[in-house]
Structures are given as C-alpha cells and as structure tokens.
Amino acid sequence: MSDLRVIIKRDSAEPEERAVTTGTTAAELFPGERSVVAARVAGELKDLAYALADGDEVEPVDITSPDGLAILRHSTAHVMAQAVQELHPQARLGIGPPIKDGFYYDFDVAEPFTPDDLKAIEKKMQEIQKRGQRFSRRAVTDEAAREELADEPYKLELIGLKGSSAGSEDGADVEVGGGELTIYDNLDAKTGELCWKDLCRGPHLPTTRHIPAFKLMRNAAAYWRGSEKNRQLQRIYGTAWPTKEELKAHLEFLEEAAKRDHRKLGAELDLFSFPDELGSGLAVFHPKGGTIRKEMESYSRRRHEESGYEFVNTPHISKAKLFETSGHLPHYAEGMFPPMEFEGQDYYLKAMNCPMHNLIFKARGRSYRELPLRLFEFGTVYRFEKSGVVHGLTRARGFTQDDSHIYCTKEQVPDELDSLLTFVLNLLRDYGLSDFYLELSTRGDSDKFIGSDADWDEATEQLRQAAGKQGLDLVMDPGGAAFYGPKISVQAKDAIGRTWQMSTIQVDFQQPARFGLEYTAADGTRQQPVMIHRALFGSIERFFAVLLEHYAGAFPAWLAPVQAVGIPVGDAHVRYLQEFAEEAGRKGLRVEVDGSSDRMQKKIRTHQKLKVPFMIIVGDEDMTNGTVSFRYRDGSQENGVPRDQALAKLADVVERRVQV
C-alpha cells in the first residue's frame, strides 16, 4: 500500500501530489527522463538514489541546468581522479571541484604530468565511463573516515575542517561541510564490488555512463588550498558537457578565444610586455600600445570634462593611518602590498584612490552649492594579487583606474545614480560594447561589512531603482558588495559572447563618516555628504585587454595605433605617399609609409597581420591623377580616390568612431 505522500514541483507546472511506497527513490519519480540527474528535496540537492520521506517536496534537476552541469562536472572529476590513481597508484588526492565550464582535480605526484600522461588518463576515463560504475553515497563518522583514508593526507586535513573553515574559494566545500561526512564509492555495475572511493559531499550522477562528453584540457602547478605556504601540487583541468555537440562547440569557442588572447595579440602587435625584471603582473606599454591607451584616455577625459568632472592627482604611497581611517586596514589588508617602514612609520602603496580623494574634499570648507562635486583621476594603484590569479592585463598587480568619486547630498543621490549609469553605458557603447546587463551586489552575513543596516538598505534600494530605469536585466549578487556599501556593476558581452565586468557604481555612507566629511547646508547646518564610487573601465589595463580581445586586435580606426599605411607599387611612388602621410598628420591622423625593399604583396600581408584599418596604395596612374587606392581589411579595394577625398574619408571614419 501507498504510505507516503510527496509533492513534485516543476518550473512550468503546478505542484503534483503523488502517493508512493516506503523505499521509493527520487529516480522513480522521473522514469524515462534521462536528462534528470539529481533531485532537489526541500531545497537541498540529493542523489537520485535518495529514499523519499513523507511530505518531501521534490524538484527534478536537469543535466543542462547550472546545478546539473556542476554535478556532471564534479562526477567527471571523480572519474579522472580514479583514472589517475589506477595509472599512478602513488598519486595522493587533493580537491576536485566543478568550475565554470569544467572541473579540475589536484594531485600530489612525484613528477609533473606530461601531455602523454593526459592522453593516457583520458583514455582510462573513457574505459571507466563505459563500465557504468555506480556512484554510491555512504555516511561515515570522522573516525571511520580517517581510518579509510589513512593514506590520503590531504583528505585527512579536510576531515579536520568539517564544520569550520571549509570554503568555496579553495574548493574544500565540495568535500566537507557543516554536516556529516560522506564517502562516495564507485561500484562495479555487475558485481557491486568497490572500484574506487573519495571523500565527498555529493551529489553525483547515478552512474559513470551518465557522463556524455568530456575532454582533459591541460595541467598546471597549484598550491594546496591556494596558499603559497603549502605544498605545490599538480592540477589537471577538464571540461564536460551534456552532449558531444556542446563539447565540440565549446572547444571551437576556446580555439577562437585563444586566437583573441590579449597576451598573444599584445606580443604579435607589439603593444605591451611583462618584463621579468619588473616582476609578475607589471606591464610596460610599447609605443603602439601607448597610442591606443592615450586615445582611450583622451576620449574618456573629454567626455568627463563635458559632464562636469574635475580632474585631480594623488601620490602612489601613503602612511598607514590613512587606510586605517578609510577601513581598508584591516578589511582589505590581504589585497595590499606589505608596508614599507620609513622615518618610524609604515607606508603603503595605495591600493585604491578613494581615501586620498576624501582628503581633497576635506582640504577646505565645502558648501551645498558645490555639490555634487565630481572628482576624477587616472590613478595608478597596486594590489597584492596571488601569483596563481595574475593573468596578463586583466588581473595585474599594478594598474591605473579611471576612478571617480562623487560627493552629493542625500537628496541628490537618486538623480546622480541615474545620470551616472546613463553616462557609463553610453561611454562604453562609444568604445564598441553594446550588450549589457546589470548586477546588484548587496550585503552578506560576513562580519567584513561595516555600517548600519538602515544605511545599507537605503543605498541598495536607490541602486535598484536606478538600475530599473535603464531597461536592462538586473541580476542579484547577495554578499558580493564591497565592505563599505552596495554596488551596481555593468556586465558587458564581447564579440564572442563572453561576459566581462565593466563599470562599477557604489554608494558609500561609511567613508564620509570615518573621515568626518561635511558641507554647509542651505540652512547653515553642517551635514555629511554621500559618497559614490565609480570606475568606468575598472582599470585602463583591463579595459585595454577586453577591447583587444573584443576586436581580435583589429581596433576601429580611431583607436588603431596606425590608422592607415601607405604602400607604394614601386620606389618612385614613396615620396608621393610620404607627402600624403604628412598632410594626414597635419589633420591629426596616424598614417605611415612602408618604404621597405619588400615586394608590394609582402607589404600587404605584413600590414594585414598588423590589422591596420586602411592601406593606401599608389602607382603611376594615381600619381598622374592625384589619387590613391584604398585597400580594406576584408581585401576589397576602392581605386582612383582623389587625395582630398581620401583624407576626408579617413578623418570621417575616425571622427565617427566606426569600425571598418
């Protein structure tokens, strides 16, 4: 007889109450639904082997959902770890969590893995996948887990973390949490014999046959739990997808992304480099990269001046006391370089510009008539990023922020937020980005956040209302705010669909109070301003990298370091082109002439690789008629263009900031 009642909930249907017998599993609620790989019971993810209880509310978890993909990838990580230990029995297990688009697992091995090792591991994974081994969850006591995993020192450390500091930052939360310890056994499909096991919270796919498509990508060194103080392990990365077609599409996407990698393009186009002599995460810009950067900054500066911003400059170091006042010490201490002792005091490289802008506001008395006061700086900052996360220009240790701080009255905040969001979105569009959504980061439960709940609630609601007026999707990010206030970030998609965080706007009631900032109100009283933090690019370097990858190096003419290159058919045509380039230069255009001894076709190929927007080709007929011929990036050509029209065309394309 049926003695249990459960409720099945689906996104697109009314809840369904169903009577089942004791011992019924979650899998039996969804017969024939091969894409269902787990269940959510009362909000908690469970294996399909979970035995239902009376009153359970059960939702199917599809393999294509975010949770389903994470389960697929975590299960594939287990299969990879099993394959590694079958091939390398002395390998000790670290942590193997799912990550965006894939998974990894860390191993302690005597020698780094080679490409041939990865091929062998992937082949062994395919064998395990075909065996259809069953993932079976088993609860264990701490003592039993230590006994079973006595040969796995890293697992023993994780067992000691149960209920304490296991966190998502290092992947430990996939192994242990605040509840009971569990081990997942991989069991032979026919005999039920144990094939392999791992400490894990789960859930997992029903069997290894439920892994449709995967591939190992690469290996790298990684410190245990992300700390340079710990032993260096070997990490293998992989990817897994619900279908072979999706895997193929992902690999093609990665191939295209690799072609656009800003580090690769930066070297090929002679834009910037990272000299070892400087240290990790510190870039130097070469002349061509410097030209692009200058154009980026100049246009931004002009637009800011037109919108009422006032430019300031601040030093690169400060006494520790400044950052203690702002709250960055101790709240942001891990992100700052160690202090320098000088004349009996500690000095820090600045990791942010806002404390110094507060000093500018405080330098003299302020009146309500001056508000909103919009301060702007291209301010270079330094942040102590761990070596494992430094990544070209997108995650550097020294970079320049296009940093603005707006001081206004509480009554001015809503209008200021409206105009700020409109300003940053329009400016990003001018640089060629157009596909946006907004993310609202709010206060979390951590003790890192400072200030009253009332202030946070008010600021969060003001940001929410400003975001709603832009007509863009708004995604919530609970707990993602800075320690001093909530923020809106503009998320932009590039040409191949990747999302990048761009501008951030943060409302801050805390720093004005900590610095004692005041202005004289209309009634003569002293009032505290509201501070709004705003970085439009995030940093010049990071935005440079985003645009470089977005355009695959083929910048629009207004940003291109060389806007046109003159290519003579023969030596007799060089002087004619030099005169054209000189005339273009007087109009503010960047035109060069290739007077090298290379053949014309080789010159064309060279400058195609350098992604120059226009080639200006001149032969005998052009010299006779006072014309030039345009060759475009797509290989098409426009012949016999009068010189004045050619110059006007170049100037027009640059002025309108259009792509060619």
Side-chain angles (χ1 to χ4, degrees), residues 269 292 551-564 604 607-615 630-638 653 658-660:
L269 302 178
I292 298 170
Y551 289 117
F555 284 101
W558 75 281
L559 287 173
V562 178
Q563 295 167 332
I604 290 174
H607 296 290
Q608 280 178 327
K609 290 180 179 179
L610 293 175
K611 304 179 187 294
V612 177
F614 298 100
M615 296 184 205
F630 274 97
R631 181 183 173 90
Y632 301 99
R633 278 174 172 155
D634 63 3
S636 63
Q637 198 156 313
E638 183 180 359
V653 168
V658 295
Q659 181 63 296
V660 293

Side-chain angles (χ1 to χ4, degrees), residues 524-545:
T525 60
R526 306 293 293 171
Q527 300 292 328
Q528 178 181 299
V530 177
M531 183 180 185
I532 301 175
H533 304 248
R534 195 233 63 197
L536 194 145
F537 297 152
S539 78
I540 300 293
E541 288 80 359
R542 186 172 181 276
F543 193 56
F544 187 109

Side-chain angles (χ1 to χ4, degrees), residues 486-529:
K487 69 177 180 181
I488 277 184
S489 58
V490 176
Q491 308 286 335
K493 288 189 177 180
D494 67 11
I496 58 173
R498 296 171 299 181
T499 297
W500 300 87
Q501 178 176 302
M502 292 285 99
S503 311
T504 57
I505 298 173
Q506 299 170 295
V507 177
D508 185 357
F509 293 102
Q510 315 310 323
Q511 285 206 44
R514 297 175 74 94
F515 278 85
L517 303 185
E518 292 182 335
Y519 67 91
T520 302
D523 62 2
T525 60
R526 306 293 293 171
Q527 300 292 328
Q528 178 181 299

Side-chain angles (χ1 to χ4, degrees), residues 293-434:
R293 180 169 175 157
K294 177 175 71 71
E295 290 299 323
M296 290 170 57
E297 293 179 2
S298 295
Y299 183 68
S300 174
R301 180 183 290 270
R302 175 161 67 86
R303 289 293 306 275
H304 278 84
E305 288 172 345
E306 292 169 353
S307 297
Y309 287 80
E310 299 180 66
F311 279 75
V312 298
N313 285 288
T314 59
H316 292 225
I317 64 172
S318 168
K319 295 177 183 177
K321 178 66 175 176
L322 177 68
F323 300 116
E324 291 167 1
T325 300
S326 69
H328 291 97
L329 291 175
H331 294 281
Y332 196 74
E334 289 186 0
M336 300 174 70
F337 276 90
M340 300 171 281
E341 195 277 330
F342 180 64
E343 295 181 343
Q345 297 192 60
D346 282 344
Y347 282 75
Y348 281 85
L349 289 171
K350 71 172 176 180
M352 61 295 297
N353 299 299
C354 46
M356 296 187 181
H357 289 191
N358 288 335
L359 297 182
I360 294 172
F361 183 96
K362 195 177 180 180
R364 63 172 177 81
R366 300 287 177 178
S367 165
Y368 72 95
R369 293 186 177 91
E370 298 178 71
L371 306 184
L373 176 65
R374 305 182 182 102
L375 302 182
F376 183 89
E377 176 179 16
F378 289 119
T380 301
V381 297
Y382 304 90
R383 295 186 181 172
F384 186 62
E385 300 284 5
K386 292 183 178 180
S387 58
V389 300
V390 170
H391 184 82
L393 296 178
T394 60
R395 197 75 181 265
R397 286 175 168 168
F399 51 90
T400 301
Q401 291 184 310
D402 58 328
D403 218 355
S404 175
H405 295 94
I406 296 93
Y407 302 88
C408 58
T409 69
K410 280 194 173 186
E411 294 75 21
Q412 291 170 333
V413 169
D415 288 342
E416 198 65 20
L417 291 176
D418 286 348
S419 64
L420 270 174
L421 260 180
T422 300
F423 177 76
V424 300
L425 288 167
N426 286 340
L427 195 50
L428 290 173
R429 291 183 180 108
D430 288 345
Y431 287 94
L433 300 172
S434 59

Side-chain angles (χ1 to χ4, degrees), residues 1-5 18-22:
M1 290 181 59
S2 299
D3 54 4
L4 302 178
R5 290 192 174 274
R18 187 179 298 181
V20 298
T21 58
T22 300

Side-chain angles (χ1 to χ4, degrees), residues 573-605:
H573 312 117
V574 172
R575 184 57 199 154
Y576 180 90
L577 275 169
Q578 288 174 339
E579 291 172 356
F580 179 89
E582 290 166 3
E583 192 173 351
R586 290 191 289 272
K587 295 180 179 295
L589 300 171
R590 298 185 291 277
V591 178
E592 296 181 352
V593 177
D594 188 342
S596 69
S597 60
D598 292 335
R599 295 171 62 88
M600 185 180 77
Q601 290 304 319
K602 184 177 180 182
K603 292 179 182 181
I604 290 174
R605 289 194 299 272

